[in-house]
Amino acid sequence: MKEIKLQTTIRLAQSEELSEEDRLLVQRAIEATASSYSPYSHFAVGAALRLTDGTIVIGSNQENAAFPSGLCAERTAIFAAGATHPDQAVTTLAIAARNEAGLTAEPVSPCGACRQVILEVEQRYKCPVRILLYGTNGVYIINSVRELLPLCFVDESMR
Ligand code: THU
């Protein structure tokens, strides 16, 4: 039997090491936590994505008393971008989160459903989505959602 090892590459940067563009996007994600509607989890997530033309679209988690009806910040931003700028690819997505103590020290990573949706965006626009995960201890930089989703399922998987 053969063992196959899957590798993931993530870089850890301090905010000062980010480009001005990336720092701004992270700042917008932090600001987006303010519009989170999270009376159940008290966990406010903000997302900000940049499109190829430079437009920034934000999202935040929106909860519901019927829990599965709510939506994560990442998908809120991605679906808003798809609805308002369908011709533009997403180049970078930044995520930040706040619990009752403040901004999280460790970066918060997108849930499985959001990873799958980010993957579809990469496939649809044939453009990798860089992901910036903010924590007060540092920012993870990930070059494509594929780094977070090994053995992923895409449309070609059905052919
Ligand atoms: N949440 C997000 O918005 N994004 C993530 O990446 C993880 C989880 C939200 C969903 C829910 O409103 C709250 O955080 C607690 O799970």
Side-chain angles (χ1 to χ4, degrees):
M1 202 184 296
K2 202 174 156 193
E3 189 174 82
I4 301 170
K5 286 206 163 48
L6 303 169
Q7 248 190 348
T8 287
T9 305
I10 290 176
R11 284 178 296 151
L12 171 63
Q14 295 308 308
S15 288
E16 318 81 70
E17 296 177 277
L18 296 178
S19 68
E20 208 169 307
E21 273 197 341
D22 283 351
R23 215 175 8 241
L24 171 69
L25 200 65
V26 166
Q27 191 51 42
R28 297 294 299 273
I30 292 171
E31 288 164 12
T33 62
S35 66
S36 161
Y37 175 65
S38 42
Y40 304 104
S41 70
H42 304 286
F43 189 62
V45 185
L49 59 82
R50 176 175 276 107
L51 300 172
T52 33
D53 70 356
T55 303
I56 292 176
V57 177
I58 63 145
S60 56
N61 56 328
Q62 303 294 319
E63 297 185 350
N64 192 280
F67 282 12
S69 303
L71 198 63
C72 293
E74 296 88 328
R75 275 176 289 164
T76 305
I78 288 168
F79 293 152
T84 56
H85 300 85
D87 303 332
Q88 299 288 320
V90 177
T91 60
T92 313
L93 168 69
I95 302 159
R98 208 181 276 282
N99 57 29
E100 280 159 319
L103 287 166
T104 60
E106 294 305 317
V108 165
S109 203
C111 77
C114 287
R115 291 176 198 205
Q116 187 69 32
V117 168
I118 300 165
L119 179 65
E120 185 87 16
V121 171
E122 289 197 355
Q123 293 286 111
R124 177 177 173 184
Y125 296 98
K126 297 180 180 37
C127 173
V129 177
R130 287 175 65 243
I131 302 174
L132 307 173
L133 304 179
Y134 174 83
T136 57
N137 287 344
V139 180
Y140 286 156
I141 305 173
I142 301 155
N143 284 337
S144 159
V145 74
R146 283 174 178 265
E147 298 287 350
L148 300 178
L149 209 53
L151 295 180
C152 56
F153 181 78
V154 288
D155 54 355
E156 292 108 67
S157 314
M158 291 182 281
R159 281 179 212 128

